Every structure is written in structure tokens, then in C-alpha cells.
Amino acid sequence: MNEVLEKLIVAQAVDLELARLKSELAGVPARRKAAETALRAAEDALRKIDEGMRKEEVLRRTQESEVRSYKDKQTRLRKQLDAATSTAQVTALEHEIGFTEQAVAKLEDEELASMERTEQLEIDRSHAQEALERTTATLTRETVACEVLTEQNTARIADLTSERAAIRADVGATEEGERLLSQYDRVAKSKGTALSEATGQKCSACQMMLRTQRWNDITDRDPNSPHKDEVFTCETCGRMLFYDPRRDAPGEWTPGQRLASSK
Ligand SMILES: [Zn+2]
């Protein structure tokens, strides 16, 4: 295999790993924010439930005091009924007592409904309490995980950045290397990756079939051929193709994974 191409395989593994580490690092604020937002939401939900429970209590106290005042009125009306002297008076008082009885029954029904709402709120409250505990634990865990990740990725990024510079200096030391490196940068910029493994007569990055002649050129390198060190590019996506003879059978190719293992 072309010597520069072999170095570029390592360069791509480094670049992909750097991109992964940086993207993970860039995601840290969002991870933390998501955990904080979930906790705030759980706190809000609990607060709303507590507020609802207080409102129901206030409502029931009002209802109870209204019931008491209607009952006091009933007592007064019954005394007046005992002392009533005309049929008209009796009818009017009985009518008024009936009205207070209906009002009391209605208030008692409403009080019962309020108690049922409170029962439901108590159930909701225990769920909200659980959610609060869960989101608090998640935030603690995420905070620690983000700190560890930040520290580890920052250190690894620094190492890989020096490694990358060294590889690029090495590759760029020859004229051919310089040319292939600029081709690498150009394709990597537009496609994300500049190299692609050829497997099963396909470019593993864009999945397009390679012409049989091209496939044979890549896989059956004749050590005496004048083209043995030639770097072929995929005619469809423009990536530089490489073939790993250690790979016996074609399989899944995940960007980074395959190249990383070629190190
Ligand atoms: Zn391709």
C-alpha cells in the first residue's frame, strides 16, 4: 500500500476521534441544561400540586363555615316556626328552612368533591415527589459525568492534537505527501471523511460499486506493477480508497471504528 495512504489512514482515525471528543465536549452544556430543566419542571409540578392542595383546604373551610351559618339560620327559623301563629307564616318559614337544607346539601356535596380532588392531588404529589428525587439524582450524576468527561476529553484532545500535528508534518514532508494531504483536507472538509475502505467491490462510505478493473487494481496489487503504489479515488464520492488485506469478508463499516483499528 502507498506509504502516505497508510499514514493518512491513521490521520483520519485521529481526526474522527478528535471530532467525536469535541462534539461530546460541545454537548456538555446541553446535557447539564437538560438535567437542570427536568429538575426545575419537577419542582414546578410539585409546587403546583401543593398550591392546588392549599386551595382545596381554603375552599373546604369556606364551605364548612357557610354550612355552619346555614345551620344557625335553620335553628333560628325552627324557633320562629314553633312560635308561628298563622298558616302563611308557617308556609313561608318552612319554605325558607327547605331552602337552607338544599343549600347545606349542595355545600356538603361540593365539600365531598373537594375531598376527592385532594385525594387525587395526594396521589399526584407522591408521583411528583418521586420525579423530584429522580431528577435531583440525575442532575447530580450528570454534573459529575460532565466534569469527568470535560477533564478526560480536554486532555485527550490535547494529546491527539499534537499527534495530529506530528502525523501531518510527517506526511507533508514529501511532495506526494503534501499533494495527498491537501486532497485529504479538501475531501474531508466537504464529505466529513477523505478515506474510505473498499470492501466487497464497494466504496464503504458511499456504497457505490467499484468498476471491476478498479477493484482488481486495489485488491490484487502486483508488487511488480508500476501502479502498485497508486492512490485510487472513488469515482462517485471522491474519497481515497484503501483496501485492508486483513479483512477477509466484507462487513459493516462504521466511520472511525474501522480506521481506528487500522492503527
Ligand atoms: Zn465513494
Side-chain angles (χ1 to χ4, degrees):
M1 194 192 286
N2 180 296
E3 207 180 297
V4 173
L5 190 59
E6 277 189 54
K7 288 173 184 171
L8 286 177
I9 291 173
V10 180
Q12 175 156 294
V14 169
D15 281 344
L16 288 174
E17 181 62 0
L18 268 173
R20 189 189 68 79
L21 292 166
K22 284 176 183 173
S23 136
E24 241 179 23
L25 201 56
V28 162
R31 264 180 79 174
R32 222 176 253 156
K33 184 131 188 15
E36 278 165 6
T37 306
L39 175 58
R40 294 293 99 83
E43 284 171 346
D44 280 352
L46 189 60
R47 199 161 32 240
K48 277 197 187 116
I49 290 167
D50 284 343
E51 215 171 276
M53 287 174 87
R54 271 195 301 278
K55 271 187 190 157
E56 293 298 339
E57 274 170 36
V58 170
L59 178 65
R60 282 200 299 276
R61 274 203 297 276
T62 313
Q63 287 163 341
E64 280 159 13
S65 111
E66 279 179 43
V67 165
R68 272 196 303 277
S69 82
Y70 276 121
K71 286 193 170 163
D72 290 347
K73 195 175 175 188
Q74 274 173 21
T75 312
R76 270 198 323 275
L77 289 170
R78 286 209 174 90
K79 273 181 192 158
Q80 286 173 25
L81 188 60
D82 288 344
T85 51
S86 73
T87 316
Q89 260 185 326
V90 168
T91 310
L93 286 164
E94 276 176 345
H95 179 77
E96 252 194 285
I97 290 167
F99 170 77
T100 58
E101 277 168 353
Q102 273 170 19
V104 166
K106 187 168 175 276
L107 281 165
E108 280 171 350
D109 281 351
E110 281 169 4
E111 202 179 340
L112 203 64
S114 167
M115 278 159 78
E116 278 167 7
R117 286 194 296 272
T118 295
E119 268 171 39
Q120 184 56 51
L121 284 167
E122 274 163 5
I123 294 167
D124 293 348
R125 195 182 192 284
S126 82
H127 291 154
Q129 189 67 45
E130 277 166 25
L132 183 67
E133 281 161 23
R134 202 168 50 241
T135 51
T136 303
T138 303
L139 179 60
T140 310
R141 203 171 50 241
E142 280 293 90
T143 303
V144 174
C146 285
E147 273 167 18
V148 170
L149 188 142
T150 301
E151 197 182 313
Q152 283 176 347
N153 285 27
T154 305
R156 187 84 184 109
I157 286 168
D159 287 350
L160 285 177
T161 303
S162 337
E163 200 180 315
R164 179 179 191 271
I167 295 166
R168 292 175 67 89
D170 181 29
V171 170
T174 64
E175 208 175 298
E176 189 204 18
E178 206 172 2
R179 185 177 57 77
L180 288 175
L181 189 60
S182 76
Q183 187 182 338
Y184 172 93
D185 286 340
R186 188 165 39 77
V187 180
K189 198 177 172 196
S190 71
K191 305 278 180 185
T193 52
L195 308 181
S196 169
E197 185 175 5
T199 57
Q201 211 182 323
K202 270 196 225 167
C203 162
S204 60
C206 74
Q207 301 300 321
M208 288 305 285
M209 292 297 291
L210 305 177
R211 284 186 295 115
T212 308
Q213 184 54 50
R214 173 60 45 94
W215 174 246
N216 292 340
D217 284 341
I218 292 169
T219 53
D220 303 326
R221 290 287 173 93
D222 176 355
N224 301 313
S225 158
H227 301 297
K228 74 179 173 64
D229 278 338
E230 200 173 324
V231 174
F232 294 104
T233 56
C234 169
E235 287 170 335
T236 309
C237 70
R239 290 180 178 90
M240 293 180 239
L241 295 166
F242 69 91
Y243 175 72
D244 185 348
R246 289 169 300 178
R247 181 188 274 272
D248 313 303
E252 282 294 308
W253 186 86
T254 321
Q257 174 206 346
R258 180 72 200 139
L259 291 178
S261 69
S262 71
K263 257 185 97 172

Short mmCIF file of all heavy atoms in Angstrom, two decimals, residues 196 202-208 210 233-239 241, ligand 1:
data_model
loop_
_atom_site.label_atom_id
_atom_site.label_comp_id
_atom_site.label_asym_id
_atom_site.label_seq_id
_atom_site.Cartn_x
_atom_site.Cartn_y
_atom_site.Cartn_z
N SER A 196 -11.86 6.02 2.36
CA SER A 196 -12.91 5.04 2.52
C SER A 196 -12.34 3.66 2.24
O SER A 196 -11.56 3.48 1.30
CB SER A 196 -14.05 5.36 1.55
OG SER A 196 -14.94 4.29 1.51
N LYS A 202 -17.16 -2.45 -3.16
CA LYS A 202 -17.92 -1.21 -2.96
C LYS A 202 -17.08 -0.20 -2.21
O LYS A 202 -16.18 -0.57 -1.45
CB LYS A 202 -19.15 -1.51 -2.08
CG LYS A 202 -20.37 -1.90 -2.84
CD LYS A 202 -21.56 -1.77 -1.91
CE LYS A 202 -22.49 -2.94 -1.99
NZ LYS A 202 -23.44 -2.94 -0.90
N CYS A 203 -17.40 1.06 -2.39
CA CYS A 203 -16.84 2.10 -1.55
C CYS A 203 -17.69 2.06 -0.28
O CYS A 203 -18.91 2.23 -0.35
CB CYS A 203 -16.96 3.47 -2.24
SG CYS A 203 -16.78 4.86 -1.10
N SER A 204 -17.07 1.78 0.84
CA SER A 204 -17.88 1.59 2.05
C SER A 204 -18.50 2.89 2.55
O SER A 204 -19.43 2.87 3.34
CB SER A 204 -17.03 0.95 3.15
OG SER A 204 -15.94 1.79 3.45
N ALA A 205 -18.01 4.04 2.10
CA ALA A 205 -18.58 5.31 2.56
C ALA A 205 -19.84 5.67 1.78
O ALA A 205 -20.85 6.02 2.37
CB ALA A 205 -17.55 6.42 2.44
N CYS A 206 -19.79 5.56 0.45
CA CYS A 206 -20.98 5.97 -0.32
C CYS A 206 -21.74 4.76 -0.86
O CYS A 206 -22.80 4.93 -1.46
CB CYS A 206 -20.59 6.94 -1.45
SG CYS A 206 -19.76 6.15 -2.84
N GLN A 207 -21.21 3.56 -0.66
CA GLN A 207 -21.87 2.32 -1.05
C GLN A 207 -21.96 2.08 -2.56
O GLN A 207 -22.66 1.18 -3.00
CB GLN A 207 -23.29 2.21 -0.45
CG GLN A 207 -23.35 2.25 1.08
CD GLN A 207 -22.55 1.11 1.71
OE1 GLN A 207 -22.55 -0.02 1.22
NE2 GLN A 207 -21.85 1.39 2.79
N MET A 208 -21.25 2.91 -3.34
CA MET A 208 -21.33 2.70 -4.79
C MET A 208 -20.37 1.58 -5.18
O MET A 208 -19.29 1.44 -4.61
CB MET A 208 -20.97 3.99 -5.54
CG MET A 208 -22.04 5.05 -5.45
SD MET A 208 -23.69 4.51 -5.99
CE MET A 208 -23.44 4.50 -7.77
N LEU A 210 -17.64 -0.43 -7.27
CA LEU A 210 -16.44 -0.01 -8.00
C LEU A 210 -16.38 -0.82 -9.29
O LEU A 210 -16.82 -1.98 -9.31
CB LEU A 210 -15.19 -0.28 -7.17
CG LEU A 210 -15.14 0.31 -5.76
CD1 LEU A 210 -13.86 -0.12 -5.07
CD2 LEU A 210 -15.23 1.83 -5.81
N THR A 233 -9.19 6.90 -6.21
CA THR A 233 -10.29 7.57 -5.53
C THR A 233 -11.61 6.99 -6.03
O THR A 233 -11.69 6.49 -7.15
CB THR A 233 -10.29 9.09 -5.79
OG1 THR A 233 -10.32 9.31 -7.20
CG2 THR A 233 -9.07 9.77 -5.20
N CYS A 234 -12.60 7.06 -5.15
CA CYS A 234 -13.94 6.58 -5.54
C CYS A 234 -14.46 7.55 -6.59
O CYS A 234 -14.44 8.76 -6.39
CB CYS A 234 -14.85 6.54 -4.32
SG CYS A 234 -16.59 6.29 -4.73
N GLU A 235 -14.96 7.00 -7.70
CA GLU A 235 -15.41 7.87 -8.80
C GLU A 235 -16.70 8.60 -8.44
O GLU A 235 -17.06 9.58 -9.06
CB GLU A 235 -15.61 7.04 -10.07
CG GLU A 235 -14.27 6.63 -10.67
CD GLU A 235 -14.40 5.61 -11.80
OE1 GLU A 235 -15.43 4.87 -11.81
OE2 GLU A 235 -13.48 5.54 -12.63
N THR A 236 -17.40 8.09 -7.43
CA THR A 236 -18.67 8.71 -7.06
C THR A 236 -18.50 9.78 -5.99
O THR A 236 -18.98 10.89 -6.15
CB THR A 236 -19.66 7.63 -6.57
OG1 THR A 236 -19.71 6.60 -7.54
CG2 THR A 236 -21.04 8.21 -6.36
N CYS A 237 -17.80 9.43 -4.89
CA CYS A 237 -17.72 10.40 -3.79
C CYS A 237 -16.37 11.11 -3.71
O CYS A 237 -16.23 12.07 -2.96
CB CYS A 237 -18.05 9.72 -2.45
SG CYS A 237 -16.80 8.57 -1.89
N GLY A 238 -15.41 10.63 -4.44
CA GLY A 238 -14.11 11.30 -4.47
C GLY A 238 -13.18 10.95 -3.31
O GLY A 238 -12.09 11.51 -3.18
N ARG A 239 -13.61 10.01 -2.44
CA ARG A 239 -12.74 9.64 -1.32
C ARG A 239 -11.61 8.73 -1.83
O ARG A 239 -11.81 7.97 -2.77
CB ARG A 239 -13.53 8.92 -0.23
CG ARG A 239 -14.49 9.81 0.53
CD ARG A 239 -15.22 9.00 1.59
NE ARG A 239 -16.15 9.81 2.38
CZ ARG A 239 -17.42 10.01 2.06
NH1 ARG A 239 -17.92 9.47 0.97
NH2 ARG A 239 -18.19 10.76 2.83
N LEU A 241 -9.50 5.57 -1.79
CA LEU A 241 -9.86 4.20 -1.39
C LEU A 241 -8.65 3.45 -0.87
O LEU A 241 -7.55 3.61 -1.38
CB LEU A 241 -10.44 3.46 -2.60
CG LEU A 241 -11.76 4.00 -3.15
CD1 LEU A 241 -12.03 3.39 -4.53
CD2 LEU A 241 -12.91 3.68 -2.21
ZN ZN B 1 -17.43 6.54 -2.58
#
